[in-house]
Amino acid sequence: MLRIELDALAVANTRFVISPLYNVTDSLWLLRSTAGAAGAAAAARAARAGGRGAGGRGPGALIREAVRERRLALLESFFTGAWTYIPDFLNPQPEQHEESLERELHAVATVAPERLAQEVRTMLAGDAALGIAGGRAPRALLRALDRGEAEFAELVAAELHQLWQAAVGPRWPVLRARIDADIARRAQLSARHGLASVLGGLHPRVLYDEEGVRLLVDARAKLPAKALYLTPTVFSSELHVSVDPLPGARQLRPMILYPAFPGPDPGPEPASASPAGDLLGATRARLLADLDVPRSTTELAERHRLAASTVSYHLGVLHRAGLLVRTRSGHRALYQQTPRAEALRQEG
């Protein structure tokens, strides 16, 4: 059992957050819904919770198809192993009520190397004191780790973005409406019956008493918290919790990822507005449009009022997609659109 201790201040700071990325990682738990009768039952629950997609396929089939077709080997490695802990850097700490996918992917791509290394070690080796089981690392995971923590984090962020494009993003307006409805319903419940009714009603494995929240999960720990984040998710019908396994002063706030109330069928996958719209987020589209002439990371950061690390991450995504060419001028790296990028923009 995992206990999250909440004092009066922590209860006052308990709030809902909306996260596109948490729903991407939540969908990946469906990869574990294929083993035996228990897996079939989990898949059926997930289908009822998440609706059905194009062609009558359930969400589990859509996610597995996207992972297979896009060859998302790292994400598959994370969510198909025998371990019971998934590294928390995949779910970066939210800074506001509603996070943007771009900020979240940037946080994944720029996670501190020591945090990434420790969390992956915890996943693989387990932690008997915490009740966390480990497992054998797949080759794809080990090969990627050999490239260093920084590149590993960028590869994970790139795969998460690919899964968003293929399976989650096209359905996000409907899924987001379901999340809004869940939060509104629970806010009304809190107004009528108090926050305790909300916390105790998140999931059958969540219990609330005067000492805080008890989670009936395999992990064993007692965590004092200064705040608690509640995050509705729409794919898996299971309960998940994100806690900080690292000691130190900057402990991350615990987050409970719970299944949102069932909502309407997402229906068929909508057609994209344009080829460029499938590939580019708003920030990347602006950066790409500004690279009709060679520019450096520093220059783009100043022109667009972004952190240089943020610009560097987006340029890396565009460069790997074949939309930018990189050259050197002295000590500076310069980026410019490729003919493919220009053609894509014209089509859009």
Side-chain angles (χ1 to χ4, degrees):
M1 182 183 71
L2 183 67
R3 176 178 284 279
I4 302 175
E5 298 177 327
L6 303 175
D7 59 15
L9 179 61
V11 171
N13 287 329
T14 295
R15 59 190 177 93
F16 291 94
V17 296
I18 299 173
S19 166
L21 185 59
Y22 290 5
N23 282 275
V24 177
T25 56
D26 180 58
S27 76
L28 286 161
W29 287 99
L30 299 179
L31 296 178
R32 294 193 172 188
S33 301
T34 57
R45 290 194 301 272
R48 290 194 296 271
R52 305 194 71 82
R57 293 171 295 169
L62 290 170
I63 298 304
R64 288 190 293 274
E65 179 181 298
V67 169
R68 182 180 64 253
E69 290 184 351
R70 304 227 175 181
R71 300 180 181 179
L72 307 180
L74 289 181
L75 296 185
E76 186 174 25
S77 296
F78 276 124
F79 285 87
T80 55
W83 43 77
T84 56
Y85 166 73
I86 303 297
D88 288 297
F89 83 91
L90 293 172
N91 290 328
Q93 187 84 90
E95 300 295 336
Q96 53 195 26
H97 168 64
E98 181 176 0
E99 281 293 355
S100 74
L101 182 70
E102 291 178 347
R103 283 195 300 268
E104 292 181 310
L105 290 176
H106 173 64
V108 172
T110 58
V111 62
E114 59 273 14
R115 174 171 289 278
L116 186 152
Q118 178 61 54
E119 290 184 357
V120 172
R121 279 196 297 270
T122 300
M123 178 185 79
L124 297 177
D127 189 319
L130 295 177
I132 297 174
R136 184 177 178 181
R139 291 181 180 178
L141 195 67
L142 293 176
R143 285 196 300 267
L145 285 170
D146 285 342
R147 300 166 70 171
E149 285 85 358
E151 187 168 351
F152 180 84
E154 290 186 1
L155 290 172
V156 172
E159 288 198 4
L160 288 167
H161 186 224
Q162 287 269 326
L163 185 59
W164 168 268
Q165 291 178 311
V168 182
R171 297 165 182 78
W172 184 243
V174 171
L175 299 177
R176 167 61 198 278
R178 177 177 160 192
I179 289 171
D180 284 338
D182 176 272
I183 293 175
R185 182 173 171 182
R186 295 183 194 276
Q188 186 179 57
L189 192 66
S190 178
R192 291 180 176 178
H193 305 288
L195 183 60
S197 65
V198 174
L199 294 173
L202 293 174
H203 192 274
R205 290 193 285 127
V206 178
L207 306 175
Y208 178 74
D209 57 31
E210 65 277 4
E211 295 183 6
V213 174
R214 286 181 292 152
L215 303 167
L216 305 182
V217 296
D218 292 334
R220 299 188 300 271
K222 185 180 291 187
L223 304 171
K226 297 180 180 179
L228 178 65
Y229 289 162
L230 309 176
T231 309
T233 57
V234 293
F235 284 95
S236 171
S237 62
E238 298 302 317
L239 173 76
H240 302 291
V241 59
S242 179
V243 297
D244 194 344
L246 301 183
R250 191 182 179 277
Q251 287 284 298
L252 301 179
R253 295 180 177 91
M255 296 177 286
I256 296 177
L257 285 66
Y258 69 90
F261 286 117
D265 188 333
E269 186 172 327
S272 300
S274 70
D278 283 339
L279 180 64
L280 307 178
T283 301
R284 278 194 281 276
R286 288 194 298 270
L287 292 173
L288 187 62
D290 202 18
L291 288 170
D292 52 340
V293 298
R295 300 189 194 279
S296 69
T297 300
T298 301
E299 184 180 1
L300 287 167
E302 292 174 352
R303 289 171 63 86
H304 294 267
R305 298 183 180 179
L306 295 170
S309 60
T310 300
V311 173
S312 179
Y313 164 67
H314 289 307
L315 293 179
V317 173
L318 294 169
H319 184 260
R320 288 192 296 271
L323 299 178
L324 294 179
V325 61
R326 182 169 52 199
T327 59
R328 297 204 68 85
S329 175
H331 296 293
R332 295 192 309 159
L334 301 178
Y335 295 85
Q336 188 173 8
Q337 296 172 8
T338 63
R340 178 183 175 189
E342 180 60 27
L344 183 65
R345 291 183 61 235
Q346 290 177 356
E347 289 178 17

